[in-house]
Amino acid sequence: MTLLNIRPATVADAGLILRFIRELAIYEKAEQSVQTDEIGIAESLFGADATARALVCEANGEAIGYAVYFYNYSTWLGRKGIYLEDLYVSPEKRGSGAGKALLKYIARQAVAEGCGRFEWSVLDWNTPAIAFYTAAGARPQDEWTVYRLEGEALKAFAG
């Protein structure tokens, strides 16, 4: 029997989280997009001005996955919400309940804190994730399109 444990990540987990981020990027066919390093993870998740939080999922003491999330805000609801940035479980450990345990952990936190929403994005080709999220009761928000400014485009627009 697999004993799952979800715990808040600590700065000592920065290297582990970076490893999982790279594995997730490879799965999402975007390995070249990872531009951070262990120091960047340590500072952005555990520094004094960190706005995101991370969780580690362990199975029988072995780290098998992680989640990163942050708080957002809905003007329509007049309440904060939680946005799930990453949810990842090592391929060989999928089906163990780890992903569901991470998702439920954050959902319970959202409910306990009076959040109005718990949301995330998923790649349109990632049918296993879509099926997983749909089974959890989540519904796609097809009427919205995500826009992004980054890198040189962000600098140019800001200038």
Side-chain angles (χ1 to χ4, degrees):
M1 182 173 140
T2 301
L3 178 63
L4 294 175
N5 178 50
I6 308 291
R7 64 172 176 81
T10 68
V11 69
D13 295 310
L16 171 68
I17 292 169
L18 180 61
R19 187 188 92 211
F20 284 144
I21 288 169
R22 287 184 175 138
E23 289 177 18
L24 176 60
I26 290 167
Y27 176 76
E28 292 184 347
K29 303 172 186 157
E31 182 178 11
Q32 70 286 351
S33 296
V34 178
Q35 298 177 21
T36 192
D37 56 18
E38 191 170 332
I39 293 169
I41 296 299
E43 290 174 354
S44 64
L45 287 178
F46 308 106
D49 62 346
T51 58
R53 298 200 168 90
L55 302 170
V56 173
C57 180
E58 298 168 329
N60 301 321
E62 173 193 359
I64 63 166
Y66 82 111
V68 172
Y69 64 96
F70 57 89
Y71 292 90
N72 57 14
Y73 182 77
S74 168
T75 55
W76 291 4
L77 298 177
R79 294 194 292 173
K80 68 181 178 179
I82 291 180
Y83 187 86
L84 177 65
E85 180 65 23
D86 284 357
L87 176 68
Y88 177 77
V89 175
S90 296
E92 65 278 4
K93 300 298 182 179
R94 292 181 188 153
S96 67
K100 185 175 184 180
L102 283 161
L103 206 61
K104 286 179 81 72
Y105 185 103
I106 300 168
R108 283 192 298 269
Q109 185 170 339
V111 170
E113 294 183 18
C115 293
R117 295 180 177 148
F118 176 24
E119 53 195 354
W120 55 89
S121 298
V122 62
L123 291 166
D124 59 6
W125 57 260
N126 192 346
T127 53
I130 292 167
F132 171 72
Y133 295 137
T134 301
R139 298 293 170 253
Q141 302 298 299
D142 295 333
E143 67 273 15
W144 294 92
T145 300
V146 176
Y147 282 83
R148 177 181 297 158
L149 275 172
E150 65 182 342
E152 292 305 313
L154 174 60
K155 290 176 187 173
F157 185 74

